Amino acid sequence: MDIKQLKFLIALDQTRHFRKAAELCHVTQPTLSMRISKLEDELGLELVRRGHRFEGFTDSGLRILAWAKTLLAAHDGLKVEAASCRGQLVGNLRLGMVPLSSFDAMELVKPLSSQYPELAFQLSSMSSEDIIEHLGSNQLDLGLCYLDEVDPERFDIIELAVTEMGLLFDKRYFTFANGALDWQEVVSVPLGMLSRTMRFRQAIAVKLAGLGLHARTVLESDSTYQLMQAVRAGVCCAVMPRHSGMESLSDTLQLLPIGDGATHSPVGLVMRRAEPRSALAEQCFAAAQKVLSIGL
């Protein structure tokens, strides 16, 4: 067994496709299939259900996959720790982020990139619950998420601002009087929304339920980019965070504030307390404390 076999297994989980997993690992498909088969032989277990294509992992495969992710995280952490002992900060900072909040992640990434030019960033968009889970299993270094379910005994936290909401629209298709909108005006237009599992979407639902209002949702997506495309095409408007700079992406976009439009839970930068945790996470979290305290 070697680390490449574990990487192949994880790539297969990420892509759910043998050819795509091979491309991700820069090997041929026969090589990837052979190495995974060899891993199965070494463990004496069937890990992958095969037909004409990838059909999923067996129950044993899922359990081995969880260990593979833990071992790979530890392997990467070992390399980062060694670099830290040499006075370097290198490697990939794995940062999980909720898709919508008033905090622009580039306010953190840009100064860290300038301070540590050999550092690379792996950014993942996911729900707060998934961020907490991935931090706990050491699959992320840091997380930007809503704090209402974060246990301060298990995580170090830098609390950021509460997210304020606004209505994003394309001026070629929709017109509103300048100034703050109320929720009655918001629900009067077709809306694009994040998926229902996302905390930002849930915050909107709480606001509307409290007012006895119902949104006219014409499009749902787990992709912020697709929401932006729909707004630019005039398909809908979208409730988006203020101060995120989204309206600056096009001259035709405008974002107006919504009165009483703030999430109940603030967003924060989170790092797990339990060992093992990488020197990369610790140093970037310490640097973030300095960077973010200047901006707050």
Side-chain angles (χ1 to χ4, degrees):
M1 183 190 307
D2 61 45
I3 201 69
K4 283 187 177 180
Q5 288 171 302
L6 303 183
K7 289 182 178 180
F8 294 162
L9 199 66
I10 292 170
L12 187 57
D13 177 52
Q14 291 173 333
T15 62
R16 319 298 290 183
H17 194 285
F18 281 104
R19 178 180 57 77
K20 292 178 180 178
E23 291 173 352
L24 185 63
C25 296
H26 307 292
V27 297
T28 64
Q29 182 174 331
T31 296
L32 181 133
S33 297
M34 179 191 67
R35 295 300 302 278
I36 291 178
S37 294
K38 186 176 179 181
L39 178 62
E40 292 177 315
D41 292 340
E42 291 178 19
L43 297 174
L45 294 169
E46 182 184 6
L47 305 178
V48 178
R49 293 197 301 270
R50 297 172 175 85
H52 294 296
R53 59 178 62 89
F54 174 76
E55 295 181 354
F57 290 93
T58 64
D59 290 342
S60 297
L62 291 172
R63 294 171 66 177
I64 297 300
L65 178 64
W67 276 104
K69 291 178 179 178
T70 300
L71 288 170
L72 188 59
H75 174 265
D76 292 342
L78 185 150
K79 292 193 294 184
V80 170
E81 195 72 39
S84 178
C85 291
R86 298 193 300 269
Q88 299 173 297
L89 191 62
V90 299
N92 289 310
L93 180 69
R94 301 165 301 168
L95 178 62
M97 308 176 298
V98 290
L100 290 178
S101 75
S102 286
F103 180 76
D104 183 354
M106 293 306 111
E107 293 180 23
L108 176 60
V109 170
K110 185 176 180 179
L112 286 179
S113 180
S114 298
Q115 187 172 352
Y116 304 112
E118 295 184 26
L119 186 63
F121 299 86
Q122 180 180 326
L123 308 181
S124 301
S125 177
M126 56 182 68
S127 68
S128 290
E129 291 80 3
D130 285 342
I131 289 172
I132 294 169
E133 179 183 341
H134 281 66
L135 286 170
S137 59
N138 214 17
Q139 296 177 53
L140 288 175
D141 298 306
L142 302 177
L144 279 166
C145 63
Y146 292 102
L147 299 179
D148 49 349
E149 294 185 7
V150 177
D151 183 355
E153 294 186 359
R154 294 180 55 220
F155 298 95
D156 290 324
I157 299 169
I158 302 174
E159 184 171 328
L160 305 172
V162 169
T163 297
E164 299 177 0
M165 302 178 191
L167 186 69
L168 183 72
F169 59 96
D170 192 302
K171 292 180 288 187
R172 294 172 298 175
Y173 306 104
F174 296 93
T175 303
F176 299 92
N178 285 329
L181 303 174
D182 59 34
W183 285 104
Q184 187 70 54
E185 292 174 287
V186 172
V187 299
S188 69
V189 296
L191 293 175
M193 294 279 200
L194 277 180
S195 301
R196 296 173 188 270
T197 56
M198 295 296 185
R199 190 59 56 87
F200 190 79
R201 168 71 181 275
Q202 294 169 0
I204 298 170
V206 168
K207 292 287 185 184
L208 296 181
L211 297 170
L213 298 175
H214 299 279
R216 183 153 61 98
T217 305
V218 299
L219 183 145
E220 291 188 8
S221 176
D222 59 1
S223 165
T224 305
Y225 176 72
Q226 289 177 342
L227 288 182
M228 293 289 292
Q229 283 183 308
V231 171
R232 285 273 291 125
V235 172
C236 58
C237 305
V239 179
M240 291 287 190
R242 297 181 62 200
H243 316 301
S244 59
M246 289 186 178
E247 68 274 24
S248 65
L249 297 176
S250 171
D251 292 338
T252 64
L253 294 178
Q254 186 174 356
L255 191 146
L256 292 177
I258 301 172
D260 188 29
T263 59
H264 293 293
S265 176
V267 171
L269 184 68
V270 180
M271 176 179 67
R272 61 178 269 168
R273 286 187 173 180
E275 298 291 347
R277 80 182 177 193
S278 71
L280 182 66
E282 292 176 348
Q283 291 188 43
C284 288
F285 190 83
Q289 286 179 306
K290 297 177 182 179
V291 169
L292 299 177
S293 65
I294 295 172
L296 295 177

